[in-house]
Amino acid sequence: MDSIPCALTIAGTDPSGGAGIQADLKTFQELTVYGMSVITSVVAQNTTGVQNVHHLPVTMINEQLNSVISDMPVHSIKTGMIANKDMMQVIAEHLSKSVVNYVMDPVMVATSGDPLISEDARSFLKQQLLPLATVVTPNIPEAQYITGQSIDNTSDLQEAAFEIVKSFGARAALVKGGHLQGKAVDYLYDGNKLYTFEAERFQTKNTHGTGCTYSAAITAHLSKGLPLYEAVKQAKQYVTAAIQYSFSLGAGNGPTNHWAVRKERVEQ
Ligand SMILES: Nc1ncnc2c1ncn2[C@@H]1O[C@H](COP(=O)(O)OP(=O)(O)OP(=O)(O)O)[C@@H](O)[C@H]1O
Ligand SMILES: Cc1ncc(CO)c(N)n1
């Protein structure tokens, strides 16, 4: 058997299964990629919000990374919630030695509005982690934080994608228009070309974990050796179907549906 693509996610948990590590591993599995995970924080959360957070000691994050990297093939890496600067420092040390594609989901706030990372982590993320990223995938509030500019329309989104590459050093930026009205449009700038990814917007409140699912799908496709544009194109199809058939589970914002994606793929 050919060797299987292997992807690693470094992120926080979601016991309700919609976001974080759980969403990432479900996505890797659906896309037939062998999934591995390093947990940064254990988060008590569900579809209504975040109830509590327990951060793992930095030494434990370092040891998990050593355990995986010393033994397993890692073909691509994704980071999600990294709550503080000390954690980021340790993760940045590992990433700076790595040669594989690194997808950074600059998670700052949960869908519910609850903050997930500290103020000093935000600025470390912008200054130290961003330049290591193959691609960074901010939503509008995250892109606004990184660029310091307000984003009110699609032309602001495009400008933010240029700015994040040119002024902040990410190799590519995928700025997501999920929080605007109208079509669900995202822009990818890779330093050469601007690409547009457009999908129908579905009227649903069940968008818990959409950002995690999208960036995990990009990571999965990159681990298979797809070029960035193709990886994003296929990931956009994945997240769109996962939102279209999202679950009305829980009292708040329900989770994405990975099975619907599988059903669609099989029927094609
Ligand atoms: N209602 C919707 N219908 C269709 N696509 C959507 C909808 N909402 C968001 N999207 C798309 O889903 C993807 C994830 O974008 P979004 O802006 O929701 O990420 P996020 O805010 O980081 O997610 P999270 O809630 O996990 O933090 C993008 O491709 C976006 O265009
Ligand atoms: C652990 C974690 N990462 C990311 C998000 C963003 O959806 C979340 N709610 N929880």
Side-chain angles (χ1 to χ4, degrees):
M1 193 180 130
D2 285 349
S3 68
I4 183 165
C6 298
L8 169 65
T9 171
I10 305 169
T13 66
D14 174 6
S16 71
I21 290 277
Q22 283 80 355
D24 295 344
L25 290 176
K26 287 178 188 182
T27 307
F28 293 163
Q29 184 77 10
E30 273 309 310
L31 293 173
T32 59
V33 164
Y34 182 83
M36 298 171 285
S37 60
V38 164
I39 293 173
T40 53
S41 301
V42 178
V43 185
Q45 65 171 315
N46 55 30
T47 65
T48 68
V50 174
Q51 290 78 47
N52 207 347
V53 182
H54 174 75
H55 301 312
L56 264 65
V58 172
T59 50
M60 197 56 210
I61 295 171
N62 193 35
E63 284 178 44
Q64 290 180 78
L65 282 164
N66 285 333
S67 299
V68 177
I69 293 165
S70 65
D71 189 39
M72 302 295 281
V74 177
H75 301 126
S76 63
I77 301 176
K78 154 184 174 169
T79 59
M81 172 190 177
I82 312 174
N84 62 50
K85 190 178 149 198
D86 293 344
M87 289 183 185
M88 281 191 187
Q89 229 146 9
V90 158
I91 293 165
E93 274 165 35
H94 283 273
L95 288 170
S96 59
K97 287 185 230 147
S98 157
V99 293
V100 301
N101 286 311
Y102 163 40
V103 179
M104 178 174 137
D105 185 4
V107 170
M108 294 180 191
V109 174
T111 312
S112 56
D114 294 294
L116 292 170
I117 77 171
S118 66
E119 214 38 63
D120 65 338
R122 284 180 180 225
S123 82
F124 189 92
L125 179 146
K126 181 164 143 176
Q127 282 152 22
Q128 309 286 331
L129 272 191
L130 206 57
L132 301 173
T134 305
V135 60
V136 58
T137 63
N139 61 21
I140 288 178
E142 291 155 357
Q144 288 184 150
Y145 172 77
I146 294 168
T147 61
Q149 304 291 322
S150 78
I151 299 175
D152 301 312
N153 51 45
T154 52
S155 104
D156 294 345
L157 277 179
Q158 296 173 35
E159 210 38 60
F162 291 135
E163 187 68 11
I164 291 170
V165 173
K166 289 182 181 152
S167 306
F168 297 96
R171 240 175 295 157
L174 175 67
V175 184
K176 301 172 292 187
H179 298 221
L180 286 177
Q181 302 296 313
K183 296 264 185 200
V185 188
D186 313 324
Y187 294 97
L188 171 71
Y189 181 63
D190 66 1
N192 281 313
K193 218 173 148 187
L194 183 77
Y195 301 94
T196 307
F197 300 91
E198 189 177 295
E200 185 184 340
R201 175 175 300 276
F202 300 102
Q203 292 313 318
T204 176
K205 68 179 173 71
N206 302 324
T207 54
H208 177 57
T210 52
C212 304
T213 300
Y214 194 18
S215 54
I218 296 168
T219 311
H221 288 306
L222 289 175
S223 76
K224 294 176 172 177
L226 261 60
L228 181 60
Y229 165 77
E230 199 54 41
V232 174
K233 188 175 152 200
Q234 294 200 21
K236 176 74 172 172
Q237 287 165 359
Y238 186 95
V239 74
T240 301
I243 294 168
Q244 180 175 6
Y245 299 105
S246 57
F247 293 118
S248 245
L249 293 176
N253 303 108
T256 58
N257 178 350
H258 300 264
W259 299 335
V261 179
R262 185 192 311 194
K263 190 165 157 277
E264 285 214 327
R265 260 211 329 266
V266 169
E267 282 172 359
Q268 270 173 9

PDB file of all heavy atoms in Angstrom, residues 11-14 18-22 24 40-43 45-46 50 78 80-82 105 107-112 114 116 142 207-212, ligand 2:
ATOM      1  N   ALA A  11      -4.202  22.358  18.443  1.00  0.00           N
ATOM      2  CA  ALA A  11      -5.384  23.197  18.709  1.00  0.00           C
ATOM      3  C   ALA A  11      -6.019  22.852  20.053  1.00  0.00           C
ATOM      4  O   ALA A  11      -5.572  21.950  20.757  1.00  0.00           O
ATOM      5  CB  ALA A  11      -6.402  23.010  17.583  1.00  0.00           C
ATOM      6  N   GLY A  12      -7.102  23.568  20.370  1.00  0.00           N
ATOM      7  CA  GLY A  12      -7.871  23.303  21.576  1.00  0.00           C
ATOM      8  C   GLY A  12      -9.004  22.330  21.277  1.00  0.00           C
ATOM      9  O   GLY A  12      -9.257  21.993  20.115  1.00  0.00           O
ATOM     10  N   THR A  13      -9.686  21.890  22.337  1.00  0.00           N
ATOM     11  CA  THR A  13     -10.729  20.871  22.166  1.00  0.00           C
ATOM     12  C   THR A  13     -12.140  21.471  22.178  1.00  0.00           C
ATOM     13  O   THR A  13     -12.347  22.599  22.643  1.00  0.00           O
ATOM     14  CB  THR A  13     -10.672  19.819  23.298  1.00  0.00           C
ATOM     15  OG1 THR A  13     -11.016  20.467  24.530  1.00  0.00           O
ATOM     16  CG2 THR A  13      -9.296  19.188  23.409  1.00  0.00           C
ATOM     17  N   ASP A  14     -13.080  20.696  21.676  1.00  0.00           N
ATOM     18  CA  ASP A  14     -14.499  21.027  21.777  1.00  0.00           C
ATOM     19  C   ASP A  14     -15.251  19.740  22.097  1.00  0.00           C
ATOM     20  O   ASP A  14     -15.498  18.932  21.198  1.00  0.00           O
ATOM     21  CB  ASP A  14     -15.003  21.630  20.462  1.00  0.00           C
ATOM     22  CG  ASP A  14     -16.508  21.856  20.491  1.00  0.00           C
ATOM     23  OD1 ASP A  14     -17.136  21.659  21.562  1.00  0.00           O
ATOM     24  OD2 ASP A  14     -17.069  22.216  19.444  1.00  0.00           O
ATOM     25  N   GLY A  18     -18.021  20.046  17.552  1.00  0.00           N
ATOM     26  CA  GLY A  18     -18.216  20.865  16.347  1.00  0.00           C
ATOM     27  C   GLY A  18     -16.996  21.614  15.875  1.00  0.00           C
ATOM     28  O   GLY A  18     -16.856  21.889  14.678  1.00  0.00           O
ATOM     29  N   ALA A  19     -16.113  21.991  16.806  1.00  0.00           N
ATOM     30  CA  ALA A  19     -14.981  22.857  16.457  1.00  0.00           C
ATOM     31  C   ALA A  19     -13.679  22.232  16.964  1.00  0.00           C
ATOM     32  O   ALA A  19     -13.656  21.076  17.404  1.00  0.00           O
ATOM     33  CB  ALA A  19     -15.187  24.246  17.068  1.00  0.00           C
ATOM     34  N   GLY A  20     -12.591  22.993  16.861  1.00  0.00           N
ATOM     35  CA  GLY A  20     -11.308  22.590  17.436  1.00  0.00           C
ATOM     36  C   GLY A  20     -10.797  21.258  16.916  1.00  0.00           C
ATOM     37  O   GLY A  20     -11.087  20.849  15.790  1.00  0.00           O
ATOM     38  N   ILE A  21     -10.029  20.568  17.790  1.00  0.00           N
ATOM     39  CA  ILE A  21      -9.406  19.281  17.453  1.00  0.00           C
ATOM     40  C   ILE A  21     -10.411  18.289  16.879  1.00  0.00           C
ATOM     41  O   ILE A  21     -10.121  17.581  15.917  1.00  0.00           O
ATOM     42  CB  ILE A  21      -8.778  18.667  18.751  1.00  0.00           C
ATOM     43  CG1 ILE A  21      -7.557  19.471  19.210  1.00  0.00           C
ATOM     44  CG2 ILE A  21      -8.487  17.191  18.577  1.00  0.00           C
ATOM     45  CD1 ILE A  21      -6.269  19.136  18.509  1.00  0.00           C
ATOM     46  N   GLN A  22     -11.602  18.260  17.487  1.00  0.00           N
ATOM     47  CA  GLN A  22     -12.599  17.273  17.058  1.00  0.00           C
ATOM     48  C   GLN A  22     -13.032  17.523  15.612  1.00  0.00           C
ATOM     49  O   GLN A  22     -13.132  16.585  14.813  1.00  0.00           O
ATOM     50  CB  GLN A  22     -13.820  17.297  17.994  1.00  0.00           C
ATOM     51  CG  GLN A  22     -13.611  16.605  19.338  1.00  0.00           C
ATOM     52  CD  GLN A  22     -12.862  17.442  20.374  1.00  0.00           C
ATOM     53  OE1 GLN A  22     -12.399  18.546  20.096  1.00  0.00           O
ATOM     54  NE2 GLN A  22     -12.742  16.915  21.586  1.00  0.00           N
ATOM     55  N   ASP A  24     -11.273  19.066  13.354  1.00  0.00           N
ATOM     56  CA  ASP A  24     -10.105  18.830  12.489  1.00  0.00           C
ATOM     57  C   ASP A  24      -9.948  17.341  12.186  1.00  0.00           C
ATOM     58  O   ASP A  24      -9.753  16.946  11.035  1.00  0.00           O
ATOM     59  CB  ASP A  24      -8.830  19.345  13.168  1.00  0.00           C
ATOM     60  CG  ASP A  24      -8.837  20.857  13.359  1.00  0.00           C
ATOM     61  OD1 ASP A  24      -9.654  21.528  12.710  1.00  0.00           O
ATOM     62  OD2 ASP A  24      -8.023  21.359  14.160  1.00  0.00           O
ATOM     63  N   THR A  40      -3.669  21.882  22.938  1.00  0.00           N
ATOM     64  CA  THR A  40      -3.114  23.050  23.636  1.00  0.00           C
ATOM     65  C   THR A  40      -3.931  23.373  24.898  1.00  0.00           C
ATOM     66  O   THR A  40      -3.363  23.658  25.941  1.00  0.00           O
ATOM     67  CB  THR A  40      -3.132  24.278  22.710  1.00  0.00           C
ATOM     68  OG1 THR A  40      -4.470  24.437  22.196  1.00  0.00           O
ATOM     69  CG2 THR A  40      -2.153  24.117  21.552  1.00  0.00           C
ATOM     70  N   SER A  41      -5.252  23.375  24.749  1.00  0.00           N
ATOM     71  CA  SER A  41      -6.145  23.697  25.873  1.00  0.00           C
ATOM     72  C   SER A  41      -7.348  22.775  25.828  1.00  0.00           C
ATOM     73  O   SER A  41      -7.827  22.432  24.739  1.00  0.00           O
ATOM     74  CB  SER A  41      -6.673  25.134  25.757  1.00  0.00           C
ATOM     75  OG  SER A  41      -5.623  26.060  25.751  1.00  0.00           O
ATOM     76  N   VAL A  42      -7.822  22.399  27.009  1.00  0.00           N
ATOM     77  CA  VAL A  42      -9.087  21.656  27.085  1.00  0.00           C
ATOM     78  C   VAL A  42     -10.166  22.699  27.353  1.00  0.00           C
ATOM     79  O   VAL A  42     -10.094  23.444  28.332  1.00  0.00           O
ATOM     80  CB  VAL A  42      -9.040  20.593  28.203  1.00  0.00           C
ATOM     81  CG1 VAL A  42     -10.385  19.873  28.307  1.00  0.00           C
ATOM     82  CG2 VAL A  42      -7.910  19.601  27.943  1.00  0.00           C
ATOM     83  N   VAL A  43     -11.134  22.769  26.443  1.00  0.00           N
ATOM     84  CA  VAL A  43     -12.152  23.825  26.531  1.00  0.00           C
ATOM     85  C   VAL A  43     -13.508  23.194  26.838  1.00  0.00           C
ATOM     86  O   VAL A  43     -13.949  22.296  26.120  1.00  0.00           O
ATOM     87  CB  VAL A  43     -12.237  24.612  25.193  1.00  0.00           C
ATOM     88  CG1 VAL A  43     -13.208  25.780  25.312  1.00  0.00           C
ATOM     89  CG2 VAL A  43     -10.862  25.104  24.748  1.00  0.00           C
ATOM     90  N   GLN A  45     -16.911  23.675  26.262  1.00  0.00           N
ATOM     91  CA  GLN A  45     -17.742  24.516  25.384  1.00  0.00           C
ATOM     92  C   GLN A  45     -18.798  23.655  24.710  1.00  0.00           C
ATOM     93  O   GLN A  45     -18.719  22.426  24.684  1.00  0.00           O
ATOM     94  CB  GLN A  45     -16.885  25.230  24.338  1.00  0.00           C
ATOM     95  CG  GLN A  45     -16.186  24.317  23.337  1.00  0.00           C
ATOM     96  CD  GLN A  45     -15.541  25.098  22.192  1.00  0.00           C
ATOM     97  OE1 GLN A  45     -16.138  26.004  21.619  1.00  0.00           O
ATOM     98  NE2 GLN A  45     -14.308  24.741  21.851  1.00  0.00           N
ATOM     99  N   ASN A  46     -19.809  24.327  24.174  1.00  0.00           N
ATOM    100  CA  ASN A  46     -20.831  23.651  23.380  1.00  0.00           C
ATOM    101  C   ASN A  46     -21.375  24.642  22.361  1.00  0.00           C
ATOM    102  O   ASN A  46     -20.713  25.658  22.092  1.00  0.00           O
ATOM    103  CB  ASN A  46     -21.923  23.064  24.292  1.00  0.00           C
ATOM    104  CG  ASN A  46     -22.527  24.124  25.207  1.00  0.00           C
ATOM    105  OD1 ASN A  46     -22.590  25.299  24.846  1.00  0.00           O
ATOM    106  ND2 ASN A  46     -22.964  23.728  26.388  1.00  0.00           N
ATOM    107  N   VAL A  50     -18.600  29.204  25.505  1.00  0.00           N
ATOM    108  CA  VAL A  50     -17.485  28.602  26.246  1.00  0.00           C
ATOM    109  C   VAL A  50     -17.780  28.726  27.744  1.00  0.00           C
ATOM    110  O   VAL A  50     -18.021  29.826  28.243  1.00  0.00           O
ATOM    111  CB  VAL A  50     -16.162  29.339  25.900  1.00  0.00           C
ATOM    112  CG1 VAL A  50     -15.020  28.834  26.764  1.00  0.00           C
ATOM    113  CG2 VAL A  50     -15.836  29.173  24.412  1.00  0.00           C
ATOM    114  N   LYS A  78      -1.491  22.055  10.861  1.00  0.00           N
ATOM    115  CA  LYS A  78      -2.440  23.154  11.035  1.00  0.00           C
ATOM    116  C   LYS A  78      -2.410  23.611  12.486  1.00  0.00           C
ATOM    117  O   LYS A  78      -2.299  22.767  13.389  1.00  0.00           O
ATOM    118  CB  LYS A  78      -3.841  22.661  10.662  1.00  0.00           C
ATOM    119  CG  LYS A  78      -4.900  23.417  11.354  1.00  0.00           C
ATOM    120  CD  LYS A  78      -6.312  23.019  11.194  1.00  0.00           C
ATOM    121  CE  LYS A  78      -7.039  23.951  12.173  1.00  0.00           C
ATOM    122  NZ  LYS A  78      -8.453  23.969  12.062  1.00  0.00           N
ATOM    123  N   GLY A  80      -4.723  25.882  15.370  1.00  0.00           N
ATOM    124  CA  GLY A  80      -5.975  26.561  15.667  1.00  0.00           C
ATOM    125  C   GLY A  80      -5.782  27.398  16.922  1.00  0.00           C
ATOM    126  O   GLY A  80      -4.901  28.254  16.972  1.00  0.00           O
ATOM    127  N   MET A  81      -6.569  27.097  17.952  1.00  0.00           N
ATOM    128  CA  MET A  81      -6.494  27.885  19.195  1.00  0.00           C
ATOM    129  C   MET A  81      -5.165  27.658  19.922  1.00  0.00           C
ATOM    130  O   MET A  81      -4.860  26.549  20.349  1.00  0.00           O
ATOM    131  CB  MET A  81      -7.643  27.462  20.115  1.00  0.00           C
ATOM    132  CG  MET A  81      -7.567  28.067  21.488  1.00  0.00           C
ATOM    133  SD  MET A  81      -8.787  27.279  22.580  1.00  0.00           S
ATOM    134  CE  MET A  81      -8.418  28.115  24.113  1.00  0.00           C
ATOM    135  N   ILE A  82      -4.388  28.729  20.059  1.00  0.00           N
ATOM    136  CA  ILE A  82      -3.169  28.702  20.888  1.00  0.00           C
ATOM    137  C   ILE A  82      -3.328  29.875  21.856  1.00  0.00           C
ATOM    138  O   ILE A  82      -3.205  31.041  21.461  1.00  0.00           O
ATOM    139  CB  ILE A  82      -1.884  28.865  20.038  1.00  0.00           C
ATOM    140  CG1 ILE A  82      -1.913  27.929  18.815  1.00  0.00           C
ATOM    141  CG2 ILE A  82      -0.653  28.602  20.885  1.00  0.00           C
ATOM    142  CD1 ILE A  82      -0.750  28.144  17.851  1.00  0.00           C
ATOM    143  N   ASP A 105      -4.853  28.832  11.160  1.00  0.00           N
ATOM    144  CA  ASP A 105      -6.174  29.409  11.395  1.00  0.00           C
ATOM    145  C   ASP A 105      -5.996  30.320  12.619  1.00  0.00           C
ATOM    146  O   ASP A 105      -5.825  29.825  13.731  1.00  0.00           O
ATOM    147  CB  ASP A 105      -7.188  28.280  11.686  1.00  0.00           C
ATOM    148  CG  ASP A 105      -8.610  28.808  11.820  1.00  0.00           C
ATOM    149  OD1 ASP A 105      -8.824  30.016  11.611  1.00  0.00           O
ATOM    150  OD2 ASP A 105      -9.509  28.001  12.124  1.00  0.00           O
ATOM    151  N   VAL A 107      -7.196  31.631  15.147  1.00  0.00           N
ATOM    152  CA  VAL A 107      -8.373  31.611  16.032  1.00  0.00           C
ATOM    153  C   VAL A 107      -8.192  32.622  17.177  1.00  0.00           C
ATOM    154  O   VAL A 107      -7.178  32.609  17.866  1.00  0.00           O
ATOM    155  CB  VAL A 107      -8.536  30.192  16.634  1.00  0.00           C
ATOM    156  CG1 VAL A 107      -9.581  30.182  17.738  1.00  0.00           C
ATOM    157  CG2 VAL A 107      -8.880  29.193  15.554  1.00  0.00           C
ATOM    158  N   MET A 108      -9.170  33.481  17.335  1.00  0.00           N
ATOM    159  CA  MET A 108      -9.132  34.464  18.430  1.00  0.00           C
ATOM    160  C   MET A 108     -10.398  34.408  19.276  1.00  0.00           C
ATOM    161  O   MET A 108     -10.352  34.539  20.487  1.00  0.00           O
ATOM    162  CB  MET A 108      -8.942  35.877  17.868  1.00  0.00           C
ATOM    163  CG  MET A 108      -7.579  36.054  17.197  1.00  0.00           C
ATOM    164  SD  MET A 108      -7.332  37.691  16.519  1.00  0.00           S
ATOM    165  CE  MET A 108      -5.842  37.427  15.554  1.00  0.00           C
ATOM    166  N   VAL A 109     -11.539  34.211  18.605  1.00  0.00           N
ATOM    167  CA  VAL A 109     -12.840  34.278  19.284  1.00  0.00           C
ATOM    168  C   VAL A 109     -13.712  33.123  18.783  1.00  0.00           C
ATOM    169  O   VAL A 109     -13.670  32.793  17.595  1.00  0.00           O
ATOM    170  CB  VAL A 109     -13.517  35.642  18.927  1.00  0.00           C
ATOM    171  CG1 VAL A 109     -14.919  35.733  19.465  1.00  0.00           C
ATOM    172  CG2 VAL A 109     -12.687  36.805  19.457  1.00  0.00           C
ATOM    173  N   ALA A 110     -14.495  32.489  19.667  1.00  0.00           N
ATOM    174  CA  ALA A 110     -15.399  31.411  19.230  1.00  0.00           C
ATOM    175  C   ALA A 110     -16.597  31.998  18.483  1.00  0.00           C
ATOM    176  O   ALA A 110     -16.874  33.202  18.589  1.00  0.00           O
ATOM    177  CB  ALA A 110     -15.877  30.614  20.440  1.00  0.00           C
ATOM    178  N   THR A 111     -17.320  31.163  17.743  1.00  0.00           N
ATOM    179  CA  THR A 111     -18.529  31.609  17.019  1.00  0.00           C
ATOM    180  C   THR A 111     -19.490  32.329  17.976  1.00  0.00           C
ATOM    181  O   THR A 111     -20.158  33.286  17.610  1.00  0.00           O
ATOM    182  CB  THR A 111     -19.256  30.377  16.405  1.00  0.00           C
ATOM    183  OG1 THR A 111     -18.284  29.588  15.729  1.00  0.00           O
ATOM    184  CG2 THR A 111     -20.345  30.783  15.437  1.00  0.00           C
ATOM    185  N   SER A 112     -19.519  31.854  19.223  1.00  0.00           N
ATOM    186  CA  SER A 112     -20.399  32.430  20.244  1.00  0.00           C
ATOM    187  C   SER A 112     -19.958  33.831  20.680  1.00  0.00           C
ATOM    188  O   SER A 112     -20.697  34.524  21.369  1.00  0.00           O
ATOM    189  CB  SER A 112     -20.381  31.520  21.469  1.00  0.00           C
ATOM    190  OG  SER A 112     -19.027  31.359  21.889  1.00  0.00           O
ATOM    191  N   ASP A 114     -17.111  34.295  22.498  1.00  0.00           N
ATOM    192  CA  ASP A 114     -16.202  34.160  23.643  1.00  0.00           C
ATOM    193  C   ASP A 114     -14.741  34.209  23.183  1.00  0.00           C
ATOM    194  O   ASP A 114     -14.369  33.519  22.236  1.00  0.00           O
ATOM    195  CB  ASP A 114     -16.435  32.819  24.358  1.00  0.00           C
ATOM    196  CG  ASP A 114     -17.813  32.760  24.991  1.00  0.00           C
ATOM    197  OD1 ASP A 114     -18.055  33.530  25.932  1.00  0.00           O
ATOM    198  OD2 ASP A 114     -18.656  31.965  24.523  1.00  0.00           O
ATOM    199  N   LEU A 116     -10.871  33.338  22.903  1.00  0.00           N
ATOM    200  CA  LEU A 116     -10.164  32.061  23.096  1.00  0.00           C
ATOM    201  C   LEU A 116      -8.670  32.247  23.329  1.00  0.00           C
ATOM    202  O   LEU A 116      -7.997  31.298  23.732  1.00  0.00           O
ATOM    203  CB  LEU A 116     -10.394  31.145  21.885  1.00  0.00           C
ATOM    204  CG  LEU A 116     -11.824  30.626  21.704  1.00  0.00           C
ATOM    205  CD1 LEU A 116     -11.989  29.937  20.357  1.00  0.00           C
ATOM    206  CD2 LEU A 116     -12.212  29.661  22.828  1.00  0.00           C
ATOM    207  N   GLU A 142     -10.649  38.704  12.542  1.00  0.00           N
ATOM    208  CA  GLU A 142      -9.218  38.367  12.652  1.00  0.00           C
ATOM    209  C   GLU A 142      -8.384  39.165  11.643  1.00  0.00           C
ATOM    210  O   GLU A 142      -7.310  39.675  11.979  1.00  0.00           O
ATOM    211  CB  GLU A 142      -9.029  36.856  12.440  1.00  0.00           C
ATOM    212  CG  GLU A 142      -9.608  36.019  13.580  1.00  0.00           C
ATOM    213  CD  GLU A 142     -10.010  34.588  13.192  1.00  0.00           C
ATOM    214  OE1 GLU A 142      -9.899  34.214  12.007  1.00  0.00           O
ATOM    215  OE2 GLU A 142     -10.463  33.857  14.089  1.00  0.00           O
ATOM    216  N   THR A 207     -23.274  27.342  12.330  1.00  0.00           N
ATOM    217  CA  THR A 207     -21.961  27.592  11.728  1.00  0.00           C
ATOM    218  C   THR A 207     -20.841  27.395  12.755  1.00  0.00           C
ATOM    219  O   THR A 207     -19.743  27.920  12.582  1.00  0.00           O
ATOM    220  CB  THR A 207     -21.892  29.020  11.164  1.00  0.00           C
ATOM    221  OG1 THR A 207     -22.242  29.933  12.209  1.00  0.00           O
ATOM    222  CG2 THR A 207     -22.823  29.212   9.982  1.00  0.00           C
ATOM    223  N   HIS A 208     -21.116  26.631  13.805  1.00  0.00           N
ATOM    224  CA  HIS A 208     -20.092  26.383  14.831  1.00  0.00           C
ATOM    225  C   HIS A 208     -18.997  25.489  14.225  1.00  0.00           C
ATOM    226  O   HIS A 208     -19.292  24.379  13.778  1.00  0.00           O
ATOM    227  CB  HIS A 208     -20.760  25.695  16.025  1.00  0.00           C
ATOM    228  CG  HIS A 208     -19.827  25.317  17.133  1.00  0.00           C
ATOM    229  ND1 HIS A 208     -19.031  26.229  17.783  1.00  0.00           N
ATOM    230  CD2 HIS A 208     -19.575  24.129  17.711  1.00  0.00           C
ATOM    231  CE1 HIS A 208     -18.327  25.616  18.710  1.00  0.00           C
ATOM    232  NE2 HIS A 208     -18.634  24.335  18.683  1.00  0.00           N
ATOM    233  N   GLY A 209     -17.776  26.012  14.178  1.00  0.00           N
ATOM    234  CA  GLY A 209     -16.664  25.195  13.675  1.00  0.00           C
ATOM    235  C   GLY A 209     -16.437  25.249  12.175  1.00  0.00           C
ATOM    236  O   GLY A 209     -15.634  24.483  11.642  1.00  0.00           O
ATOM    237  N   THR A 210     -17.095  26.187  11.485  1.00  0.00           N
ATOM    238  CA  THR A 210     -16.893  26.260  10.024  1.00  0.00           C
ATOM    239  C   THR A 210     -15.448  26.609   9.672  1.00  0.00           C
ATOM    240  O   THR A 210     -14.879  26.054   8.735  1.00  0.00           O
ATOM    241  CB  THR A 210     -17.830  27.306   9.370  1.00  0.00           C
ATOM    242  OG1 THR A 210     -17.674  28.536  10.069  1.00  0.00           O
ATOM    243  CG2 THR A 210     -19.265  26.866   9.409  1.00  0.00           C
ATOM    244  N   GLY A 211     -14.870  27.535  10.445  1.00  0.00           N
ATOM    245  CA  GLY A 211     -13.483  27.952  10.171  1.00  0.00           C
ATOM    246  C   GLY A 211     -12.499  26.810  10.400  1.00  0.00           C
ATOM    247  O   GLY A 211     -11.561  26.606   9.617  1.00  0.00           O
ATOM    248  N   CYS A 212     -12.724  26.029  11.469  1.00  0.00           N
ATOM    249  CA  CYS A 212     -11.857  24.874  11.768  1.00  0.00           C
ATOM    250  C   CYS A 212     -11.966  23.849  10.642  1.00  0.00           C
ATOM    251  O   CYS A 212     -10.956  23.322  10.151  1.00  0.00           O
ATOM    252  CB  CYS A 212     -12.262  24.209  13.083  1.00  0.00           C
ATOM    253  SG  CYS A 212     -12.281  25.318  14.490  1.00  0.00           S
TER     254      CYS A 212
HETATM  255  C1  LIG B   2     -11.053  24.905  20.489  1.00  0.00           C
HETATM  256  C2  LIG B   2     -11.727  25.826  19.538  1.00  0.00           C
HETATM  257  N1  LIG B   2     -11.045  26.259  18.454  1.00  0.00           N
HETATM  258  C3  LIG B   2     -11.633  27.102  17.576  1.00  0.00           C
HETATM  259  C4  LIG B   2     -12.935  27.524  17.767  1.00  0.00           C
HETATM  260  C5  LIG B   2     -13.560  28.485  16.770  1.00  0.00           C
HETATM  261  O1  LIG B   2     -14.700  28.017  16.226  1.00  0.00           O
HETATM  262  C6  LIG B   2     -13.621  27.026  18.911  1.00  0.00           C
HETATM  263  N2  LIG B   2     -14.902  27.375  19.172  1.00  0.00           N
HETATM  264  N3  LIG B   2     -12.991  26.197  19.767  1.00  0.00           N
END
